[in-house]
């Protein structure tokens, strides 16, 4: 057990599992102020994938950070489409190394609706808080004395998802080398710039740069650690596919008094359609929805059983007293294909509400896929379900003839950005080496998850590079990724440094 | 049959039913340009009831128009609450008259969401179109030669609902006197300024000015003529009440991958709740919803049978091939209590959509009431239905304790602006006189409706003044009132002049 002092932090874990971890922790603590300020600068560059000008600034900032850290062969891997975000590549080749790890994170973030962020927050104006806002955390200035608390948080888009990943990978390499250690394997870095837009050009980049991107394993740094706070390694991801639905009512908005209960109300029609998709126990009623699923292996099932239960903790934290599928714990729920309403809208609510029958009602569905599901096939099952409810399905605004012929008209646009799930076997020797390396940084048993609930297009790495992938996340689970008020806990940012450095220096 | 020339109009009906109607028509035609321009100026003053400064400007404009036309005793009837819109009053006392008619219209309009209006339209920037926009009508400048077409339309908030009513009443009086005729009854004018806000101070004004507002009959000029284009008189209104619903999911927005199908989705919960409120034949499933209803009288039933069928026309016009209640025609549907979703919203849709489980889902319900229903009792039936679906009903944002104790939590805010239905008997002698007068302006049999589908707080006129009311509307039925792209057809505006003048000069 190795004790250490407090330098840049007001609090620290009381011991470290290894001398190497202690060195990295000391480095992080000594450089905490510099690290947090540089990270905040990085977060202040807007990073929605469609914002070409700012995406270029982000890529330039990453190249600059790589070069300052001695990373070689730094370059942009640009898709052919003008304006499409480039991936940023760099490498550190180690003389005598027999294996190559390639680290993945993405520097773009989810779209933002600043109006939905809490008062005082700006998606691209990082702010320091004394804790989670919804638990009473208060905004404070960056401390003049350079002393931070591990429970403080930085609020900004991509603080966790996934500039936190990009920055931690780069800093782990710096921490390793500045602490007198050396990587044991060749290190490659690959930072994508349009993951949140569905990675539309990742296939093109991987195919074009097959030899540059060869490796023994991709380490994906994205998503959160386990809700119990324990470090986790995730061996797969769910696939993802969207469907946009628009149900049509009268051609023009109608007075709800003069036509109410006579003209069909598209909001009610959509409500009934959505309600038909799941039973009261959260089971999806779409025919064949749970078919195609490849069952978990024996070691995957064993790992799942050992994952700590977070049911009570998460219910309390989220303010819910029941889950959607009463018979499935969280782990089981995310091992199944899912159907989620991301949003729905018809007419106006609140102060804008008026007494009308709206002309249309719209919803966005998010389908998560597991190994065995095919994105298009899964979308088609939902479309077939909609048709089975009596809807005439079209892919355009309805014509007068269609309106005259069909009582139930719906425009269905299956997202073309869907992709399938992916899972790497826990039993691979290199997987076991990563597990052992991360385990040196923490006294708690690692949580090993066969699959994440979230999605990344990891199947592309198999398709173009025949690669293995493992996800080693660092963010706190309550980081609000994909929503307003995204944040990262400082303790997670600095624990992540230890995790990533351990993988880079693994034996 | 009396033929007449075209002066301000490119087209006119080919004959008039009476010499008086011909005189009014000639007056309208000769003054068309002046009338349309003055009306447009009136429409360009914003008139949402909460916009105190502009409401004052509207009231001043009405007083000015009254005084220019020789109306006497012009005054504001102001509620005690500072900033509450005043009613505008004026009168014309006729020596020897034995009856008094009081004309009602409201000068405020529904709230506007300019973003939802068609390109080129501004709610408070009246524009002339060659027809209905959704049927290819084009924007044209006000004609320099002063020649208009009866099928042209003016687009602006309140063009129909209900500045059209205010302006037509004032102009009918002017047309009558300038055409050498005289009113046969005392005329009073009462223009309300917050009808679309639920008439929160109408009771106060009526109670305070009981003697000033005495009459034999209120003529309400609001709402549309019959969908067949025929003139109609309506003897009652439905009552109206609102309910705002908010269903709660997790306290913070969740990633739909990491928690999809585990955390309850409030959008799905709301969809299921709304779906539970009506069966597939549009019948409201709320227990007792159709109780309390006072049946129609024999003459009301007879009048209903004689109303021309508009089912095929309206379906074609609205682009729908089926109605919500397949077994009820429009007339029957609006004689029943109704439940309509005015709007619903959860998360984001379209370009703002993100992969999340929203924290709440909200909807606004509009309940229409018929004679016998009580607004609060009808709201309570819906609340009881919600509770019967397993919801714990609260009137505030949920506390942590409530979240921990109840799986299904809903905030229900019954609108406090609800009011009951009202119906005047068609058999009253003064009602018969009005019917006869309006019939002199048109060769087509009048459509006599026991009740409108829409609502006005007419029960207050009974409560405070023991008054009779009849609604004599003028607007085209496809005027988009209460929604974007509100408009009035010029033919309706000028036919309305004849209608109102006939009532003022009735024998």
């Amino acid at each position: 057990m190795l004790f250490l002092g407090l330098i840049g932090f007001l609090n620290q874990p009381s011991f470290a599992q290894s001398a190497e971890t202690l060195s990295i922790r000391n480095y992080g603590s000594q450089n905490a102020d510099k690290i947090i300020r540089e990270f905040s600068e990085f977060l202040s560059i807007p990073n929605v994938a469609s914002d070409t000008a700012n995406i270029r600034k982000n890529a330039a900032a990453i190249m600059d950070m790589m070069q300052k850290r001695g990373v070689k062969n730094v370059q942009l891997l640009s898709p052919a489409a003008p304006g499409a975000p480039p991936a940023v590549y760099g490498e550190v080749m180690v003389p005598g190394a027999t294996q190559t790890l390639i680290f993945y994170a993405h520097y773009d973030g989810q779209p933002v609706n600043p109006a939905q962020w809490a008062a005082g927050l700006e998606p691209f104006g990082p702010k320091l808080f004394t804790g989670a806002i919804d638990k009473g955390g208060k905004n404070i200035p960056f401390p003049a004395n350079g002393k931070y608390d591990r429970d403080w948080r930085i609020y900004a888009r991509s603080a966790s998802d996934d500039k936190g990943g990009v920055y931690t990978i780069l800093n782990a390499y710096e921490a390793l080398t500045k602490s007198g250690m050396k990587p044991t394997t060749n290190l490659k870095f690959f930072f994508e710039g349009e993951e949140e837009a569905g990675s539309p050009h990742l296939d093109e980049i991987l195919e074009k740069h097959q030899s540059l991107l060869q490796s023994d394993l991709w380490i994906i740094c994205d998503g959160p650690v386990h809700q119990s706070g324990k470090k986790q390694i995730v061996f797969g991801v769910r696939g993802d596919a969207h469907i946009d639905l628009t149900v049509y009512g009268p051609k023009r908005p109608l007075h709800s008094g003069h036509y109410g209960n006579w003209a069909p109300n598209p909001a009610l029609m959509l409500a009934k359609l959505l309600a038909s998709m799941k039973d009261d126990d959260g089971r999806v009623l779409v025919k064949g929805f749970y078919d195609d699923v490849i069952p978990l292996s024996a070691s995957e099932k064993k790992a799942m059983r050992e994952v700590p239960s977070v049911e009570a903790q998460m219910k309390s934290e989220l303010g819910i007293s029941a889950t959607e599928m009463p018979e499935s714990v969280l782990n089981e729920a995310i091992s199944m294909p899912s159907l989620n309403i991301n949003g729905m809208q018809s007419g106006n609510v609140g102060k804008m509400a008026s007494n009308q029958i709206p002309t249309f009602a719209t919803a966005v569905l998010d389908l998560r896929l597991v190994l065995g599901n095919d994105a298009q096939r899964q979308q088609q099952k939902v479309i077939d379900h909609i048709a089975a409810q009596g809807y005439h399905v079209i892919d355009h605004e309805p014509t007068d003839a269609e309106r005259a012929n069909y009582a139930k008209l719906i425009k269905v646009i299956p997202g073309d950005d869907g992709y399938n799930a992916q899972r790497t076997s826990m039993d691979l020797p290199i997987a076991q080496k990563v597990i052992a390396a991360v385990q040196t940084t923490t006294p708690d048993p690692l949580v090993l998850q066969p699959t994440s609930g979230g999605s990344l297009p990891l199947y592309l790495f198999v398709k173009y590079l025949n690669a293995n992938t493992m996800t080693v996340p660092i963010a706190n689970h309550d980081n609000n990724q994909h929503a307003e008020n995204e944040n990262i806990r400082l303790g997670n940012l600095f624990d992540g440094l230890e995790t990533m450095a351990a993988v880079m220096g693994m034996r």
Side-chain angles (χ1 to χ4, degrees), chain A:
Chain A
M1 203 173 281
L2 300 151
F3 292 87
L4 59 150
L6 305 172
I7 298 162
F9 275 96
L10 302 172
N11 53 354
Q12 283 284 24
S14 56
F15 58 88
Q17 290 300 106
S18 69
E20 290 83 358
T21 295
L22 178 60
S23 299
I24 300 296
R25 190 172 300 163
N26 277 335
Y27 173 86
S29 195
Q30 277 157 5
N31 294 279
D33 193 56
K34 188 189 85 172
I35 289 171
I36 291 166
R37 287 175 190 268
E38 186 183 47
F39 183 46
S40 298
E41 233 170 84
F42 184 34
L43 292 175
S44 62
I45 314 172
N47 68 336
V48 177
S50 58
D51 179 356
T52 307
N54 277 310
I55 281 290
R56 281 208 192 102
K57 283 186 199 165
N58 279 287
I62 294 169
M63 292 178 81
D64 186 51
M65 289 191 285
M66 282 179 164
Q67 278 151 346
K68 277 185 186 152
R69 283 159 178 81
V71 174
K72 307 293 182 197
N73 198 15
V74 173
Q75 57 185 289
L76 297 180
L77 311 183
S78 298
V88 187
Y89 177 85
E91 62 187 28
V92 175
M93 302 312 276
V94 175
T98 56
Q99 285 193 312
T100 302
L101 293 177
I102 180 162
F103 291 80
Y104 169 100
H106 62 89
Y107 65 89
D108 68 312
Q110 278 271 321
V112 292
N113 183 350
Q116 294 179 334
W117 287 56
L121 289 186
E122 297 161 52
F124 302 114
K127 296 214 164 54
L128 188 64
F129 275 73
T130 59
I133 287 184
D134 53 352
K135 290 186 180 154
K138 300 291 170 215
N139 183 210
I140 51 170
F142 288 86
N145 67 0
K147 296 269 181 214
Y148 292 82
D149 186 292
R150 282 169 56 85
D151 287 323
W152 291 357
R153 297 186 181 212
I154 296 174
Y155 277 82
R157 172 57 87 224
S158 281
S160 274
D161 181 21
D162 187 26
K163 282 186 172 176
V166 172
Y167 190 65
T168 297
I169 289 167
L170 292 178
N171 257 6
Y173 173 68
E174 185 172 31
L176 193 75
T177 51
K178 293 249 174 95
S179 303
M181 293 177 271
K182 283 185 179 162
T184 52
T185 57
N186 296 319
L187 306 179
K188 296 180 175 178
F189 305 106
F190 180 91
F191 301 128
E192 193 191 354
E194 49 181 353
E195 192 270 340
E196 300 293 4
S199 300
H201 304 96
L202 183 58
D203 52 352
E204 177 188 335
I205 296 173
L206 297 185
E207 188 170 19
K208 188 169 164 194
H209 301 284
Q210 279 180 339
S211 76
L212 184 69
L213 300 176
Q214 279 306 315
S215 74
D216 294 282
L217 180 67
W218 285 70
I219 300 286
I220 311 293
C221 185
D222 196 6
V225 301
H226 192 247
Q227 290 92 343
S228 61
K230 294 187 171 64
K231 292 190 177 183
Q232 75 178 351
I233 300 180
V234 187
F235 294 83
V237 287
R238 288 205 280 190
D240 196 17
H242 293 98
I243 306 180
D244 272 53
L245 308 177
T246 306
V247 173
Y248 294 91
K251 271 167 99 165
R252 56 183 168 83
L254 296 176
H255 187 293
S256 63
H258 296 312
Y259 297 96
N261 280 23
W262 182 81
N265 185 314
L268 180 69
M269 293 171 74
L270 180 65
K272 282 184 170 276
L273 178 61
L274 295 172
S276 77
M277 293 185 182
K278 280 191 178 179
D279 70 15
D280 288 342
D281 287 336
R283 204 169 161 81
V284 179
L285 295 171
V286 171
K287 194 177 166 189
F289 197 78
Y290 299 104
D291 294 353
D292 311 327
V293 175
I294 295 173
L296 297 170
S297 72
S299 48
E300 286 168 338
K301 281 184 187 163
K302 177 171 177 292
M304 290 248 309
R305 280 194 299 272
E306 289 170 1
V307 172
S309 169
V310 292
E311 300 296 302
Q313 171 202 337
M314 289 309 299
K315 283 183 187 171
S316 155
E317 189 174 314
L318 298 175
I320 58 178
S321 66
T323 57
E324 196 171 88
M325 303 183 85
E327 290 174 13
S328 303
V329 298
L330 178 54
N331 256 319
E332 292 162 349
I334 63 169
S335 299
M336 288 190 274
S338 75
L339 184 156
N340 181 66
I341 303 171
N342 282 347
M344 66 178 186
Q345 199 263 320
S346 185
N348 290 305
V349 295
K351 284 190 180 174
M352 302 293 275
S354 66
N355 283 333
Q356 60 157 307
I357 301 168
T359 55
F360 68 92
T362 185
V364 179
L365 300 182
D366 173 49
L367 308 180
R368 298 283 166 166
L369 318 173
V370 300
L371 212 60
N373 290 145
D374 173 76
Q376 288 191 322
R377 198 164 61 226
Q378 204 73 349
Q379 287 170 324
Q380 191 58 48
K381 290 175 195 170
V382 175
I383 297 170
D384 292 345
H385 173 88
I386 292 169
Q389 310 308 305
Y391 276 92
H392 181 68
V393 176
I394 52 180
D395 63 359
H396 50 267
E397 291 291 297
T399 63
D400 285 352
E402 285 164 339
R403 284 178 168 278
N405 284 326
Y406 301 102
K408 295 166 90 174
L409 263 177
I410 190 168
K411 180 171 75 175
V412 177
I413 306 293
D416 57 4
D417 56 352
Y419 54 80
N420 294 346
Q422 176 56 22
R423 214 153 71 212
T424 290
S425 167
M426 294 180 177
D427 302 328
L428 292 181
I430 196 165
Q432 291 294 322
K433 273 175 82 171
V434 174
I435 294 170
V438 178
Q439 188 65 76
T440 66
T441 67
T442 172
D444 298 318
L446 299 186
V447 176
L448 304 179
Q449 301 264 28
T451 185
S452 160
S455 302
L456 284 169
L458 300 187
Y459 77 100
L460 291 174
F461 297 94
V462 179
K463 181 174 173 188
Y464 292 104
L465 306 172
N466 196 25
N468 297 308
T469 66
M470 284 168 64
T471 299
V472 184
I474 62 155
N476 40 300
H477 74 279
D478 58 347
N479 65 53
N480 279 27
Q481 68 180 113
H482 285 209
E484 58 270 23
N485 307 346
E486 182 174 345
N487 66 85
I488 194 161
R489 183 178 159 271
L490 294 184
N492 284 73
L493 195 63
F494 285 82
D495 288 350
L497 210 60
E498 300 172 18
T499 303
M500 284 296 144
V503 174
M504 292 174 186
M506 75 187 187
R507 290 164 211 281

